[in-house]
Amino acid sequence: NLDLYARWAHEALPEWLALERRTGERLFVRTGALFVGSNRAWLTETEATLRTLGIPTERIDGARMRTRFPQLAFGEGEAIYEPEAGVIYARRAVQSLVRTLVADGVTLIRERVDASSLIASSRADAIVFAAGPWLPSLFPDVLRDAILPTRQDVFFFGPPPGDDRFSPERFPAWVAFDEGVYGVPDLENRGVKVAFDAHGPEADPERMMRAVDDDAVRRMREVLRRHLPALADAPLLESRVCQYENTTNGHFLIDRLPDHDRVWIAGGGSGHGFKHGPTVGRYVADLIEWRIDPEPAFVLGGRPPRQRAVY
Protein backbone atom coordinates (compact mmCIF):
# COMPACT_ATOMS: atom_id res chain seq x y z
CA ASN A 1 0.00 0.00 0.00
CA LEU A 2 2.98 2.33 -0.38
CA ASP A 3 1.47 3.62 -3.64
CA LEU A 4 -1.82 4.45 -1.92
CA TYR A 5 -0.23 6.37 0.95
CA ALA A 6 2.09 8.27 -1.38
CA ARG A 7 -0.81 9.17 -3.67
CA TRP A 8 -2.95 10.32 -0.76
CA ALA A 9 -0.16 12.51 0.60
CA HIS A 10 0.43 13.93 -2.89
CA GLU A 11 -3.27 14.69 -3.31
CA ALA A 12 -3.54 16.19 0.17
CA LEU A 13 -0.93 18.90 -0.37
CA PRO A 14 -3.05 21.06 -2.73
CA GLU A 15 -5.83 20.97 -0.13
CA TRP A 16 -3.47 22.18 2.60
CA LEU A 17 -2.26 24.93 0.27
CA ALA A 18 -5.86 25.93 -0.48
CA LEU A 19 -6.48 26.28 3.26
CA GLU A 20 -3.30 28.35 3.51
CA ARG A 21 -4.51 30.72 0.78
CA ARG A 22 -7.94 31.06 2.33
CA THR A 23 -6.72 31.80 5.84
CA GLY A 24 -3.70 33.88 4.89
CA GLU A 25 -1.60 31.93 7.39
CA ARG A 26 1.58 30.17 6.43
CA LEU A 27 0.92 26.48 6.92
CA PHE A 28 3.44 24.84 4.57
CA VAL A 29 7.18 25.38 4.11
CA ARG A 30 8.86 23.81 1.10
CA THR A 31 12.10 22.38 2.45
CA GLY A 32 12.61 19.30 0.31
CA ALA A 33 12.73 15.88 1.91
CA LEU A 34 15.67 13.51 2.13
CA PHE A 35 15.02 9.79 2.69
CA VAL A 36 18.26 8.22 3.92
CA GLY A 37 19.12 4.57 4.37
CA SER A 38 21.36 1.65 3.60
CA ASN A 39 18.37 -0.49 2.60
CA ARG A 40 18.65 -0.12 -1.17
CA ALA A 41 15.50 -2.11 -1.84
CA TRP A 42 13.46 0.31 0.27
CA LEU A 43 15.06 3.32 -1.42
CA THR A 44 14.44 1.87 -4.87
CA GLU A 45 10.82 1.11 -4.06
CA THR A 46 10.32 4.62 -2.65
CA GLU A 47 11.89 6.18 -5.72
CA ALA A 48 9.74 4.10 -8.07
CA THR A 49 6.56 4.98 -6.19
CA LEU A 50 7.25 8.71 -6.30
CA ARG A 51 8.13 8.63 -9.99
CA THR A 52 4.98 6.69 -10.81
CA LEU A 53 3.02 9.59 -9.32
CA GLY A 54 5.02 12.10 -11.33
CA ILE A 55 6.79 13.47 -8.25
CA PRO A 56 10.32 14.72 -9.01
CA THR A 57 13.04 12.74 -7.23
CA GLU A 58 16.80 12.54 -7.22
CA ARG A 59 19.01 9.62 -6.18
CA ILE A 60 22.00 10.80 -4.12
CA ASP A 61 24.96 8.64 -3.15
CA GLY A 62 27.04 9.11 -0.01
CA ALA A 63 29.68 11.34 -1.60
CA ARG A 64 27.16 13.69 -3.16
CA MET A 65 25.11 13.81 0.03
CA ARG A 66 28.17 14.91 2.01
CA THR A 67 28.79 17.69 -0.50
CA ARG A 68 25.20 18.82 -0.88
CA PHE A 69 24.05 18.47 2.72
CA PRO A 70 27.22 18.65 4.84
CA GLN A 71 25.12 19.20 7.97
CA LEU A 72 24.20 15.50 7.84
CA ALA A 73 26.63 12.64 8.38
CA PHE A 74 25.49 9.26 7.09
CA GLY A 75 28.72 7.76 5.80
CA GLU A 76 28.20 5.82 2.61
CA GLY A 77 24.42 5.68 2.98
CA GLU A 78 22.33 6.63 -0.04
CA ALA A 79 19.29 8.88 -0.21
CA ILE A 80 16.26 9.80 -2.27
CA TYR A 81 15.70 13.55 -2.44
CA GLU A 82 12.21 14.95 -3.09
CA PRO A 83 12.69 18.69 -3.77
CA GLU A 84 9.01 19.68 -3.77
CA ALA A 85 8.26 18.18 -0.35
CA GLY A 86 8.08 20.23 2.81
CA VAL A 87 6.76 20.64 6.33
CA ILE A 88 3.24 21.47 7.52
CA TYR A 89 2.75 23.36 10.80
CA ALA A 90 0.39 20.80 12.32
CA ARG A 91 -1.02 22.74 15.27
CA ARG A 92 -1.46 25.91 13.23
CA ALA A 93 -3.09 23.98 10.40
CA VAL A 94 -5.61 22.32 12.72
CA GLN A 95 -6.45 25.61 14.41
CA SER A 96 -6.88 27.28 11.02
CA LEU A 97 -9.11 24.46 9.84
CA VAL A 98 -11.32 24.70 12.93
CA ARG A 99 -11.78 28.46 12.47
CA THR A 100 -12.60 27.94 8.80
CA LEU A 101 -15.16 25.23 9.54
CA VAL A 102 -16.84 27.38 12.19
CA ALA A 103 -16.99 30.28 9.72
CA ASP A 104 -18.68 27.89 7.27
CA GLY A 105 -21.39 27.02 9.78
CA VAL A 106 -20.00 24.00 11.62
CA THR A 107 -20.94 23.94 15.32
CA LEU A 108 -17.94 23.48 17.63
CA ILE A 109 -18.71 22.04 21.06
CA ARG A 110 -15.85 22.03 23.59
CA GLU A 111 -16.76 19.42 26.15
CA ARG A 112 -15.96 15.85 27.05
CA VAL A 113 -18.52 13.38 25.78
CA ASP A 114 -19.34 9.78 26.57
CA ALA A 115 -19.26 7.83 23.33
CA SER A 116 -22.09 5.45 24.25
CA SER A 117 -24.37 8.28 25.38
CA LEU A 118 -23.65 10.29 22.27
CA ILE A 119 -24.44 7.36 20.00
CA ALA A 120 -27.68 6.62 21.88
CA SER A 121 -28.91 10.21 21.92
CA SER A 122 -27.80 11.51 18.52
CA ARG A 123 -30.16 11.54 15.57
CA ALA A 124 -27.36 12.22 13.09
CA ASP A 125 -27.26 10.18 9.90
CA ALA A 126 -23.59 9.43 10.60
CA ILE A 127 -21.21 9.86 13.53
CA VAL A 128 -17.44 9.74 13.00
CA PHE A 129 -15.06 9.27 15.93
CA ALA A 130 -11.60 10.55 14.93
CA ALA A 131 -10.07 10.77 18.39
CA GLY A 132 -6.53 9.59 17.68
CA PRO A 133 -4.86 7.88 20.65
CA TRP A 134 -8.03 8.32 22.71
CA LEU A 135 -9.95 5.88 20.50
CA PRO A 136 -9.09 2.76 22.56
CA SER A 137 -10.44 4.40 25.72
CA LEU A 138 -13.67 5.38 23.94
CA PHE A 139 -14.25 1.85 22.62
CA PRO A 140 -12.10 -0.48 24.76
CA ASP A 141 -13.95 -3.66 23.89
CA VAL A 142 -13.49 -3.07 20.16
CA LEU A 143 -10.16 -1.26 19.88
CA ARG A 144 -8.11 -2.45 22.86
CA ASP A 145 -6.29 -4.95 20.65
CA ALA A 146 -6.37 -2.85 17.47
CA ILE A 147 -4.72 0.45 18.43
CA LEU A 148 -1.77 0.94 20.76
CA PRO A 149 -0.98 4.52 21.88
CA THR A 150 2.75 5.06 22.47
CA ARG A 151 4.82 7.84 23.97
CA GLN A 152 6.96 9.78 21.45
CA ASP A 153 9.67 12.24 22.51
CA VAL A 154 10.36 15.33 20.38
CA PHE A 155 13.35 17.70 20.71
CA PHE A 156 14.28 21.15 19.39
CA PHE A 157 17.98 22.05 19.44
CA GLY A 158 19.32 25.54 18.86
CA PRO A 159 21.91 26.06 16.09
CA PRO A 160 24.98 28.20 16.89
CA PRO A 161 24.29 31.97 16.80
CA GLY A 162 24.40 33.31 13.27
CA ASP A 163 24.61 29.82 11.75
CA ASP A 164 22.08 29.51 8.91
CA ARG A 165 23.09 26.02 7.79
CA PHE A 166 19.95 24.60 9.37
CA SER A 167 17.51 27.10 7.87
CA PRO A 168 14.76 25.70 5.58
CA GLU A 169 16.52 27.27 2.62
CA ARG A 170 19.63 25.15 3.19
CA PHE A 171 18.53 22.12 5.20
CA PRO A 172 15.80 19.61 4.24
CA ALA A 173 13.40 17.59 6.26
CA TRP A 174 14.94 14.12 6.53
CA VAL A 175 14.12 10.57 7.55
CA ALA A 176 16.70 7.93 8.49
CA PHE A 177 14.67 4.82 7.72
CA ASP A 178 17.17 2.33 9.17
CA GLU A 179 17.36 4.02 12.56
CA GLY A 180 13.80 5.22 13.06
CA VAL A 181 14.72 8.87 13.47
CA TYR A 182 13.78 12.02 11.56
CA GLY A 183 14.20 15.78 11.66
CA VAL A 184 13.15 19.11 10.17
CA PRO A 185 15.03 22.39 9.79
CA ASP A 186 14.98 25.38 12.09
CA LEU A 187 11.56 26.90 11.41
CA GLU A 188 10.71 30.34 12.80
CA ASN A 189 13.78 30.20 15.06
CA ARG A 190 12.33 27.44 17.21
CA GLY A 191 15.29 25.15 16.71
CA VAL A 192 16.08 22.05 14.67
CA LYS A 193 13.49 19.38 15.40
CA VAL A 194 14.65 15.78 15.80
CA ALA A 195 12.58 12.87 17.03
CA PHE A 196 12.48 9.11 17.26
CA ASP A 197 10.10 7.56 14.75
CA ALA A 198 10.48 4.09 16.28
CA HIS A 199 7.47 3.36 18.44
CA GLY A 200 7.99 4.31 22.07
CA PRO A 201 6.59 2.69 25.22
CA GLU A 202 2.87 2.12 25.60
CA ALA A 203 1.19 5.14 27.19
CA ASP A 204 -2.20 6.48 28.25
CA PRO A 205 -2.60 9.95 26.65
CA GLU A 206 -4.66 11.08 29.65
CA ARG A 207 -2.15 10.09 32.33
CA MET A 208 1.33 9.93 30.83
CA MET A 209 4.01 12.38 31.93
CA ARG A 210 4.56 15.11 29.33
CA ALA A 211 8.18 15.81 30.29
CA VAL A 212 11.16 14.30 28.47
CA ASP A 213 13.56 12.51 30.83
CA ASP A 214 17.35 12.80 30.92
CA ASP A 215 17.89 9.38 29.37
CA ALA A 216 15.85 10.34 26.31
CA VAL A 217 17.92 13.52 25.90
CA ARG A 218 21.11 11.48 26.19
CA ARG A 219 19.97 9.04 23.51
CA MET A 220 19.04 11.86 21.16
CA ARG A 221 22.40 13.56 21.66
CA GLU A 222 24.03 10.29 20.61
CA VAL A 223 22.02 10.52 17.38
CA LEU A 224 23.20 14.11 16.92
CA ARG A 225 26.83 13.14 17.39
CA ARG A 226 26.49 10.51 14.68
CA HIS A 227 24.39 12.37 12.16
CA LEU A 228 24.27 16.11 12.99
CA PRO A 229 27.62 16.68 14.69
CA ALA A 230 27.35 20.48 14.63
CA LEU A 231 24.38 20.15 17.02
CA ALA A 232 25.88 17.53 19.33
CA ASP A 233 26.32 20.03 22.17
CA ALA A 234 23.65 22.50 21.06
CA PRO A 235 21.24 23.83 23.70
CA LEU A 236 17.95 22.02 24.02
CA LEU A 237 15.45 24.81 23.38
CA GLU A 238 12.28 22.80 23.76
CA SER A 239 11.07 19.26 24.27
CA ARG A 240 7.66 17.68 24.35
CA VAL A 241 5.98 14.31 24.57
CA CYS A 242 3.45 13.41 21.90
CA GLN A 243 1.89 10.08 21.04
CA TYR A 244 1.35 7.74 18.13
CA GLU A 245 -1.79 5.63 17.67
CA ASN A 246 -0.27 2.48 16.22
CA THR A 247 -2.33 -0.22 14.57
CA THR A 248 -1.22 -3.82 14.46
CA ASN A 249 -0.47 -3.63 10.73
CA GLY A 250 0.60 0.02 10.43
CA HIS A 251 -2.40 0.92 8.27
CA PHE A 252 -5.19 3.38 9.00
CA LEU A 253 -8.23 2.01 10.79
CA ILE A 254 -11.28 3.44 9.04
CA ASP A 255 -14.39 1.34 9.40
CA ARG A 256 -17.84 1.10 10.89
CA LEU A 257 -18.12 0.44 14.60
CA PRO A 258 -19.35 -3.16 14.88
CA ASP A 259 -23.14 -3.41 15.31
CA HIS A 260 -23.60 0.31 14.55
CA ASP A 261 -24.36 1.04 10.91
CA ARG A 262 -24.17 4.84 11.25
CA VAL A 263 -21.12 5.06 13.54
CA TRP A 264 -17.62 5.21 12.06
CA ILE A 265 -14.10 5.05 13.45
CA ALA A 266 -11.29 6.97 11.70
CA GLY A 267 -7.85 6.62 13.23
CA GLY A 268 -4.71 4.56 13.34
CA GLY A 269 -2.38 7.23 11.99
CA SER A 270 0.62 5.27 13.31
CA GLY A 271 2.85 8.34 13.19
CA HIS A 272 2.27 9.14 9.53
CA GLY A 273 -1.41 10.06 9.38
CA PHE A 274 -1.61 13.83 9.79
CA LYS A 275 -0.38 14.85 6.36
CA HIS A 276 -3.08 12.69 4.75
CA GLY A 277 -5.86 14.59 6.57
CA PRO A 278 -7.70 16.03 3.54
CA THR A 279 -7.70 12.73 1.67
CA VAL A 280 -8.72 10.76 4.75
CA GLY A 281 -11.66 13.14 5.17
CA ARG A 282 -12.69 12.68 1.55
CA TYR A 283 -12.37 8.89 1.88
CA VAL A 284 -14.56 8.80 5.00
CA ALA A 285 -17.19 11.00 3.36
CA ASP A 286 -17.19 8.78 0.27
CA LEU A 287 -17.64 5.69 2.44
CA ILE A 288 -20.57 7.21 4.32
CA GLU A 289 -22.22 8.28 1.06
CA TRP A 290 -21.67 4.81 -0.52
CA ARG A 291 -19.56 6.26 -3.35
CA ILE A 292 -16.67 3.82 -2.89
CA ASP A 293 -15.90 0.39 -1.52
CA PRO A 294 -13.76 0.18 1.62
CA GLU A 295 -10.02 -0.34 1.33
CA PRO A 296 -9.44 -3.86 2.74
CA ALA A 297 -6.29 -2.83 4.64
CA PHE A 298 -8.26 -0.25 6.63
CA VAL A 299 -11.10 -2.41 7.96
CA LEU A 300 -11.27 -3.65 11.52
CA GLY A 301 -11.83 -7.34 10.83
CA GLY A 302 -8.98 -9.63 9.89
CA ARG A 303 -6.23 -7.63 11.56
CA PRO A 304 -3.43 -9.54 13.29
CA PRO A 305 -3.71 -9.85 17.07
CA ARG A 306 -1.98 -7.24 19.17
CA GLN A 307 1.61 -8.25 19.84
CA ARG A 308 4.27 -5.91 21.08
CA ALA A 309 6.76 -7.33 18.55
CA VAL A 310 4.57 -6.17 15.64
CA TYR A 311 4.90 -2.48 16.49
Side-chain angles (χ1 to χ4, degrees), residues 29-36 58 60 64-74 79-88 164-176 181-187 191-194 227-228 231:
V29 181
R30 196 176 303 281
T31 64
L34 194 70
F35 303 95
V36 187
E58 181 181 351
I60 302 176
R64 291 178 62 203
M65 185 161 52
R66 288 191 295 274
T67 300
R68 189 157 175 188
F69 302 112
Q71 308 94 323
L72 290 168
F74 278 95
I80 302 297
Y81 181 56
E82 183 186 341
E84 294 184 357
V87 178
I88 297 173
D164 68 347
R165 289 177 296 168
F166 297 95
S167 67
E169 293 78 20
R170 299 185 60 186
F171 188 59
W174 57 276
V175 178
V181 64
Y182 70 95
V184 302
D186 182 8
L187 300 172
V192 177
K193 175 183 174 180
V194 286
H227 301 310
L228 286 88
L231 298 178

Side-chain angles (χ1 to χ4, degrees), residues 201-215:
E202 184 173 357
D204 181 339
E206 285 291 319
R207 297 179 176 84
M208 69 179 183
M209 294 293 294
R210 296 284 176 170
V212 172
D213 60 36
D214 291 341
D215 184 61

Side-chain angles (χ1 to χ4, degrees), residues 89 91 156-158 186-192 237-238 240:
Y89 291 105
R91 180 182 300 165
F156 294 82
F157 291 93
D186 182 8
L187 300 172
E188 299 183 341
N189 298 311
R190 294 188 59 188
V192 177
L237 303 183
E238 180 184 350
R240 67 180 67 156

Side-chain angles (χ1 to χ4, degrees), residues 3-22:
D3 290 355
L4 173 64
Y5 286 111
R7 177 168 57 82
W8 276 21
H10 186 51
E11 293 174 354
L13 180 55
E15 301 297 329
W16 288 119
L17 296 177
L19 179 64
E20 183 179 67
R21 290 191 298 271
R22 176 172 175 179

Side-chain angles (χ1 to χ4, degrees), residues 155 196 212-220:
F155 309 84
F196 295 109
V212 172
D213 60 36
D214 291 341
D215 184 61
V217 176
R218 178 191 58 76
R219 290 190 294 115
M220 182 51 72

Side-chain angles (χ1 to χ4, degrees), residues 50-287:
L50 295 174
R51 289 187 173 177
T52 297
L53 295 170
I55 299 173
T57 63
E58 181 181 351
R59 190 71 170 253
I60 302 176
D61 61 21
R64 291 178 62 203
M65 185 161 52
R66 288 191 295 274
T67 300
R68 189 157 175 188
F69 302 112
Q71 308 94 323
L72 290 168
F74 278 95
E76 298 304 315
E78 296 185 35
I80 302 297
Y81 181 56
E82 183 186 341
E84 294 184 357
V87 178
I88 297 173
Y89 291 105
R91 180 182 300 165
R92 187 182 302 170
V94 171
Q95 292 171 340
S96 296
L97 177 62
V98 169
R99 288 192 294 270
T100 300
L101 292 173
V102 170
D104 287 344
V106 172
T107 300
L108 176 65
I109 302 173
R110 298 179 181 272
E111 64 182 48
R112 185 182 295 269
V113 298
D114 177 77
S116 298
S117 299
L118 177 62
I119 293 171
S121 62
S122 175
R123 297 181 179 179
D125 294 332
I127 304 172
V128 181
F129 288 91
W134 283 266
L135 280 170
S137 62
L138 290 176
F139 304 104
D141 293 341
V142 176
L143 300 181
R144 182 187 299 112
D145 293 331
I147 294 178
L148 177 69
T150 58
R151 172 192 172 100
Q152 304 296 143
D153 297 332
V154 178
F155 309 84
F156 294 82
F157 291 93
D163 188 344
D164 68 347
R165 289 177 296 168
F166 297 95
S167 67
E169 293 78 20
R170 299 185 60 186
F171 188 59
W174 57 276
V175 178
F177 174 77
D178 298 340
E179 297 188 42
V181 64
Y182 70 95
V184 302
D186 182 8
L187 300 172
E188 299 183 341
N189 298 311
R190 294 188 59 188
V192 177
K193 175 183 174 180
V194 286
F196 295 109
D197 189 43
H199 297 161
E202 184 173 357
D204 181 339
E206 285 291 319
R207 297 179 176 84
M208 69 179 183
M209 294 293 294
R210 296 284 176 170
V212 172
D213 60 36
D214 291 341
D215 184 61
V217 176
R218 178 191 58 76
R219 290 190 294 115
M220 182 51 72
R221 287 200 182 275
E222 291 175 356
V223 172
L224 296 179
R225 289 188 181 92
R226 290 197 305 273
H227 301 310
L228 286 88
L231 298 178
D233 298 314
L236 178 61
L237 303 183
E238 180 184 350
S239 63
R240 67 180 67 156
V241 176
C242 304
Q243 58 275 316
Y244 283 176
E245 37 163 335
N246 307 296
T247 60
T248 53
N249 60 7
H251 291 304
F252 296 148
L253 199 167
I254 304 174
D255 199 1
R256 278 192 176 88
L257 184 67
D259 302 320
H260 294 275
D261 288 344
R262 65 191 181 100
V263 181
W264 297 81
I265 298 164
S270 298
H272 61 82
F274 174 77
K275 60 181 174 289
H276 300 91
T279 39
V280 168
R282 183 180 63 203
Y283 173 79
V284 173
D286 286 345
L287 279 178

